[in-house]
Amino acid sequence: MTTTAPRATALDMEQVGRFAQHVGAMLTGGATTAMMVIGDRTGLYAALADGTPLTSAQLARRTGTAERYVREWLAQQAAVGFVTYNPDGETFTLPPEHAAVLASDDSPAAMIGAAPLISGLHRRTEEMARAFRTGDGISWADQDPAVWESIERFFRVGYRNSLLTEWVPAVEGLHARLEAGCRVIDVGTGRGAPLILLAGAYPASQFTGYDVHRPSVEVATQRAAAAGVADRVRFAVDHCHGYPDRDVDVITFFDTFHDLGDPVGAAAHARRALAPDGILLLVEPRAGDDLATTLATVPLAPVSFAASTFLCTSNSLSQAVGLALGSQAGEARLREVLTEAGYRTVRRVAENDFNMVLTAQP
Ligand SMILES: C[S@@+](CC[C@H](N)C(=O)[O-])C[C@H]1O[C@@H](n2cnc3c(N)ncnc32)[C@H](O)[C@@H]1O
């Protein structure tokens, strides 16, 4: 809502033009995200994945969709450079490198699972604008289901790429303990993707995932059964400082710690639950210790700060204490929280473009 006219100053019109182009690119991104969701839901990307040049009629036949819509969708995808267009024959091709990012969640480069997240943010703009005025939170349970779906799909790609091959080996002694058989608890487990990966690789260990969100716990339970690891993975509804376990070998928080209303309390509860030689493992979004560093070094900072506003900060503010670390809290701030909760020797053991991995000893 605009209430005041802009001040009349001499504008650098070239700069205005450049910035307008930048804003146009942002609008393109928003509109394209909606088209990506359509391509994902209707199987259009998957049907293009073998690289065959197809007309809109051929693609519509392959996918059982309406040609007139498919033609419009393909034109937009060509305009944004996702597919190439050949006017001779009016065919469209998805290059294999683009298919690796768009056509399936199974590729290590898959990003298509992130698209529904953006739809989910758009579906809460009214609630969010109200929260900006009141300061109230919005809990994870009150988010659009597209958000729950997207977090599972997009984060799972990163876990599949790094958890077993980079993060576990980076924590001294962890692989050996998991292989010998130990007890692992995952807090804020959501739909359980990382715990199910661990359970698949380490059949001698026992895994429990806790989350306050019952629908997520139910999906996680189904996923464990489908993955054939239900004998060693259990999911249950519980709060980050409610679970009763003691003498636990490993407690993990995968992209959850900063979402909690009371991360100090959650870390202190985990410390009491851990065995004296236990390991706390936090996987958090990679961020600098100050905003300037984060802006300069985090590739998806614009998306992260949007998600942090709508999901992470708002979930934390919906709970007691409401510390609201934000998704880009940074290592130094996380260290402070862990130290306040009584941990010693906090270490950063691994990182990639998206995540950093911290460990702490009780
Ligand atoms: C961003 S999701 C991460 C889910 C999962 N760890 C993953 O990486 O796929 C954050 C999760 O934290 C859960 N959560 C939020 N507050 C919680 C609390 N106080 N206690 C336990 N879980 C909580 C939410 O329900 C949600 O499933």
Side-chain angles (χ1 to χ4, degrees), residues 51-201:
T52 311
L54 295 175
T55 64
S56 56
Q58 288 168 330
L59 181 57
R61 259 199 308 281
R62 270 196 185 191
T63 50
T65 49
E67 187 280 335
R68 184 64 196 91
Y69 280 123
V70 172
R71 205 187 325 154
E72 221 60 15
W73 182 84
L74 280 167
Q76 195 275 341
Q77 296 287 290
V80 82
F82 283 15
V83 299
T84 56
Y85 174 57
N86 185 349
D88 306 331
E90 300 186 343
T91 57
F92 298 84
T93 307
L94 184 66
E97 293 77 11
H98 297 197
V101 180
L102 295 171
S104 148
D105 284 340
D106 293 336
S107 154
M111 292 183 80
I112 187 64
L117 177 74
I118 312 303
S119 307
L121 304 190
H122 279 286
R123 292 192 193 116
R124 288 294 176 274
T125 48
E126 296 305 321
E127 292 83 346
M128 204 65 238
R130 250 196 320 276
F132 268 67
R133 294 195 189 92
T134 61
D136 290 344
I138 301 174
S139 78
W140 186 256
D142 290 326
Q143 294 298 340
D144 187 85
V147 166
W148 310 331
E149 170 207 335
S150 190
I151 291 292
E152 177 192 26
R153 290 178 59 189
F154 187 46
F155 284 9
R156 187 173 45 204
V157 177
Y159 299 144
R160 232 180 18 227
N161 287 341
S162 302
L163 176 57
L164 300 175
T165 51
E166 294 165 30
W167 299 345
V168 168
V171 184
E172 203 188 329
L174 181 55
H175 169 72
R177 277 169 90 157
L178 286 164
E179 212 163 48
C182 68
R183 285 176 61 217
V184 181
I185 283 180
D186 182 36
V187 183
T189 196
R191 294 182 173 189
L195 211 56
I196 290 169
L197 276 174
L198 285 170

Side-chain angles (χ1 to χ4, degrees), residues 140 159 188-190 211 213 239-240 254-256 259-260 315 319:
W140 186 256
Y159 299 144
T189 196
D211 201 291
H213 187 225
H239 200 276
C240 59
F254 285 94
D255 257 304
T256 287
D259 292 327
L260 305 174
N315 183 73
Q319 299 181 357

Side-chain angles (χ1 to χ4, degrees), residues 14-32:
E14 260 184 46
Q15 199 180 326
V16 170
R18 277 195 302 276
F19 181 67
Q21 277 182 10
H22 179 60
V23 171
M26 298 303 117
L27 294 172
T28 298
T32 301

